[in-house]
Amino acid sequence: MFLPKVDAPKNRDIAEGFELKILQKVEIDEQEIFWDERQLVVHSFAIAQTEEQYLRERKLLRSLIV
């Protein structure tokens, strides 16, 4: 089987974000159980770019209607 040569993708940032650690607690049968919950907050550059484009198009359409 022949596979075409593909250049290795270059490293690039596709998103940025941070992690929150939140202490969680539940009581079951009068016993408290604790654990750390990790929440990831991620900002995708591609999604942000798409949403910005949609916003610009809506603004343009609104300006044409008025």
Side-chain angles (χ1 to χ4, degrees), residues 47-66:
I47 292 173
Q49 183 178 15
T50 300
E51 292 297 321
E52 182 178 351
Q53 182 61 37
Y54 289 151
L55 178 60
R56 290 181 189 280
E57 290 172 6
R58 287 194 307 269
K59 284 183 174 182
L60 178 61
L61 286 174
R62 188 177 299 141
S63 70
L64 293 175
I65 293 172
V66 175

Side-chain angles (χ1 to χ4, degrees), residues 3-29:
L3 295 175
K5 181 181 175 185
V6 177
D7 293 332
K10 296 179 182 175
N11 290 341
R12 63 184 179 94
D13 292 338
I14 60 171
E16 62 186 356
F18 57 92
E19 174 184 296
L20 297 171
K21 288 188 180 180
I22 300 174
L23 180 63
Q24 298 289 349
K25 175 179 84 169
V26 68
E27 188 174 319
I28 300 176
D29 297 329

